[in-house]
């Protein structure tokens, strides 16, 4: 993998980890928090989005189609993920989602895009997925737990959605030459429009969530699209089957923050999983 692609993946992992930690701090913001972040993204990225579209190689109709479908899938992703956090353990839902997504992406990238990441690349991808699952299995159990089954079901379900939008968006930016920034901007606009009828019915709640989470909403609105733009740009430089697992380095950052900042339990197993993820990323860099 090229140094440029590795650099983009590393920056994306940091941005992704930061906005997820902001989402965790937002607590019970739920769908309203997601909608506010989408609105911020749609507004902030509009000038750049228009400039990119003005110089785009792909037809406008192609951009509209790909962005609309991407926005629908991403909306489902956020809703299912938030629901998973509500009924299951974050320490299980998040890692399983981030592990299942790249695993399925690798499989279908090889089938649909005829990619051949090679033995080293596949081994690295397997290490990343294995490390993420180890972290996920460190979720607490017993009387204080919300239950393993719901956590696993929502984690895997979210992972399936991750694989879906990753493959769709990869096709948009590689095969159809849709600019990553334009695609993410259009997706954010779609998310904001789709979630508006649900959230704006309770404007007092919207104001409450915004007042309590201004910085968290800003972090989500700026860093969520930025992280994905970096990933999609990396997909133009390296195979999807390598980029998708590599971006899960964010799990390591979230795991460390969960231990050091949020004082979450079972640090030994989580750090072991993080070490396996790092080993996998190192192998991906050699692929």
């Amino acid at each position: 993998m090229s140094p440029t692609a590795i650099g983009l993946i590393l920056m994306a992992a940091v941005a992704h980890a930061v906005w997820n930690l902001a989402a965790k701090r937002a607590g019970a913001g739920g769908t309203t928090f997601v909608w506010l972040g989408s609105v911020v993204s749609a507004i902030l990225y509009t000038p750049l989005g228009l400039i990119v579209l003005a110089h785009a190689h792909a037809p406008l109709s192609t951009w509209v189609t790909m962005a609309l479908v991407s926005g629908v899938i991403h909306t489902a992703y956020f809703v299912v993920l938030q629901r998973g956090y509500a009924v299951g353990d974050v320490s299980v839902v998040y890692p399983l989602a981030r592990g299942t997504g790249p695993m399925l992406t690798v499989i279908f990238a090889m089938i649909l895009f005829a990619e051949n990441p090679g033995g080293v690349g596949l081994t690295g991808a397997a290490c990343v997925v294995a490390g993420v699952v180890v972290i996920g299995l460190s979720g607490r159990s017993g009387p204080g737990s919300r239950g393993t089954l719901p956590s696993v079901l929502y984690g895997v379900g979210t992972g399936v959605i991750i694989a879906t939008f990753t493959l769709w968006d990869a096709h948009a930016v590689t095969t159809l030459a849709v600019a990553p920034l334009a695609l993410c901007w259009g997706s954010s606009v779609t998310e904001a429009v789709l979630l508006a009828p649900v959230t704006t019915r309770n404007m007092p709640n919207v104001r409450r969530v915004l007042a309590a989470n201004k910085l968290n909403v800003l972090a989500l609105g700026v860093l969520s699209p930025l992280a994905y733009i970096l990933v999609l740009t990396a997909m133009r430089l390296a195979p999807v089957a390598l980029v998708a697992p590599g971006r899960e380095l964010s799990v390591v950052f979230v795991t460390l923050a969960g231990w050091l900042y949020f004082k979450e339990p079972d640090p030994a197993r989580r750090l072991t999983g993080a070490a396996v993820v790092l080993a996998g990323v190192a192998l991906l860099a050699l692929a």
Side-chain angles (χ1 to χ4, degrees), residues 70-280:
S70 179
V72 170
I73 302 173
H74 275 84
T75 300
Y77 159 70
F78 282 118
V79 171
V80 172
L81 183 62
Q82 289 294 325
R83 180 58 181 167
Y85 286 164
V87 304
D89 291 335
V90 173
S91 59
V92 176
V93 174
Y94 179 77
L96 283 180
R98 303 315 305 180
T100 304
M103 178 183 68
L104 294 175
T105 301
V106 169
I107 294 173
F108 285 103
M110 294 172 66
I111 296 173
L112 299 176
F113 301 153
E115 293 186 351
N116 182 18
V120 175
L122 286 176
T123 302
C127 285
V128 171
V129 174
V132 169
V133 172
V134 167
I135 295 171
L137 293 178
S138 67
R140 55 191 172 88
S141 59
S145 177
R146 298 181 186 178
T148 301
L149 184 58
S151 302
V152 171
L153 291 177
Y154 276 102
V156 173
T158 303
V160 172
I161 300 174
I162 290 173
T164 302
F165 70 62
T166 299
L167 292 169
W168 177 267
D169 295 340
H171 176 66
V173 301
T174 57
T175 305
L176 302 181
V178 177
L181 191 149
L183 179 67
C184 290
W185 170 57
S187 179
S188 295
V189 172
T190 302
E191 294 163 26
V193 171
L194 289 177
L195 291 174
V198 178
T199 55
T200 56
R201 288 183 298 183
N202 189 351
M203 288 306 297
N205 182 59
V206 172
R207 288 189 288 269
R208 180 186 63 79
V209 172
L210 179 59
N213 296 283
K214 291 180 180 178
L215 290 179
N216 294 328
V217 167
L218 183 62
L220 175 63
V222 174
L223 296 179
S224 179
L226 176 61
Y228 201 45
I229 289 169
L230 293 171
V231 167
L232 292 176
T233 302
M235 288 179 181
R236 287 183 159 186
L237 304 174
V240 178
L242 297 183
V243 175
R247 65 183 294 212
E248 303 316 327
L249 185 62
S250 62
V251 175
V252 176
F253 301 140
V254 172
T255 299
L256 291 174
W259 172 44
L260 298 173
Y261 183 76
F262 294 108
K263 308 301 181 184
E264 293 182 349
D266 205 357
R269 179 177 291 182
R270 296 183 184 194
L271 291 175
T272 299
V276 176
V277 172
L278 286 174

Side-chain angles (χ1 to χ4, degrees), residues 38-65:
S38 299
V39 170
V40 170
S41 298
I43 294 173
L44 289 182
Y45 283 89
T46 291
L48 291 175
L50 292 175
I51 293 173
V52 171
L53 280 180
H55 299 85
H57 297 290
L60 184 62
S61 58
T62 300
W63 168 75
V64 170
T65 301

